[in-house]
Amino acid sequence: MGDRWTLNGGVRYDHRHLHGYELMEDDELRFTDFSRHFNGLTGSIGAVLNVSDNLNLKMNIARGFRTPNMSELASNGVHEGSVRYELGNQQLKSEYSLQADLGLDFTSRYVSAQLALFANRINNYIFTHRVAEEKEEGYLTYAYTQGDARLLGFEAGIDFHPVHSLHFSNSFSYVDAQLMNASADTKYLPFTPAPRWSSE
């Protein structure tokens, strides 16, 4: 496609097997025995267009895959790091995502700038939600669940460098993460990063 275009892509297949063993604690069943198998096909294709000596345009489409981990499947106890009681869900499915992103990079003698836009649709997104039942006194209880989600956002940065040893750099990032088909008071995903501006 000429010297101005660079294309890349790839395909990957994953198979994962998880097995959790039964555990009795003080004559009470703490963890049940279970086995799960997960399979996923992922891939990406991208291109870079060299618009000019100073400007590049980047485009990418990718399909991702993530299996639930052991904590998400089998937790049943206090998580000391988050100071809460967590309950796993052995019925969780694999997450699948489809992401598209578009980026611009500009570089000159005195200024460098970047802009990246992205849109991500995640099927079976795994997250925790608060449940009313109190499993252990003094700890809020959270259970793992999943639903379809979409993430939209961008990152932007600009660096002024009038001389080699002097730089003034600024960056800003924003993401809007929501559950699909959820009510207004439950549609925003937990632990989504706040908008962030950094200046040096």
Side-chain angles (χ1 to χ4, degrees), residues 95-114:
E95 294 179 345
Y96 286 94
S97 69
L98 183 62
Q99 176 167 313
D101 53 76
L102 180 67
L104 282 170
D105 286 332
F106 174 80
T107 303
S108 69
R109 182 176 178 182
Y110 300 116
V111 178
S112 299
Q114 303 83 35

Side-chain angles (χ1 to χ4, degrees), residues 13 17-18 23 49 51 59 73-74 99 109 134 161 166 176 190 194:
Y13 176 79
H17 169 72
L18 292 175
L23 175 65
L49 171 61
V51 179
M59 299 156 281
L73 291 167
Q99 176 167 313
R109 182 176 178 182
E134 189 176 273
H161 38 268
L166 177 62
D176 179 66

Side-chain angles (χ1 to χ4, degrees), residues 13-185:
Y13 176 79
D14 287 271
H15 171 77
R16 188 172 186 190
H17 169 72
L18 292 175
H19 180 211
Y21 291 94
E22 179 182 295
L23 175 65
M24 298 293 295
E25 192 175 77
D26 298 327
D27 296 325
E28 181 181 340
L29 182 63
R30 190 61 176 259
F31 301 107
T32 60
D33 185 273
F34 73 96
S35 291
R36 294 290 306 276
H37 295 269
F38 301 96
N39 301 285
L41 182 66
T42 58
S44 68
I45 184 168
V48 178
L49 171 61
N50 182 224
V51 179
S52 69
D53 291 341
N54 303 105
L55 184 64
N56 289 322
L57 174 65
K58 302 177 181 179
M59 299 156 281
N60 190 67
I61 297 176
R63 183 176 193 260
F65 161 78
R66 187 183 82 87
T67 64
N69 60 43
M70 191 61 79
S71 295
E72 294 164 340
L73 291 167
S75 289
N76 185 16
V78 173
H79 187 294
E80 300 296 346
S82 58
V83 195
R84 64 187 190 183
Y85 197 102
E86 292 188 352
L87 292 172
N89 180 351
Q90 294 180 15
Q91 305 308 311
L92 293 176
K93 302 174 183 177
S94 295
E95 294 179 345
Y96 286 94
S97 69
L98 183 62
Q99 176 167 313
D101 53 76
L102 180 67
L104 282 170
D105 286 332
F106 174 80
T107 303
S108 69
R109 182 176 178 182
Y110 300 116
V111 178
S112 299
Q114 303 83 35
L115 174 65
L117 311 172
F118 68 87
N120 196 345
R121 169 67 187 262
I122 306 175
N123 294 328
N124 306 320
Y125 180 81
I126 298 170
F127 61 100
T128 56
H129 71 105
R130 172 92 180 274
V131 296
E133 179 186 5
E134 189 176 273
K135 299 292 287 184
E136 189 164 326
E137 186 176 354
Y139 295 92
L140 299 177
T141 302
Y142 287 80
Y144 284 96
T145 187
Q146 57 190 169
D148 295 338
R150 70 113 179 100
L151 287 75
L152 302 173
F154 71 92
E155 296 178 347
I158 188 166
D159 182 0
F160 299 100
H161 38 268
V163 294
H164 177 72
S165 57
L166 177 62
H167 286 252
F168 179 48
S169 177
N170 291 271
S171 63
F172 183 80
S173 60
Y174 172 80
V175 61
D176 179 66
Q178 298 185 24
L179 278 176
M180 309 286 289
N181 308 312
S183 61
D185 58 339

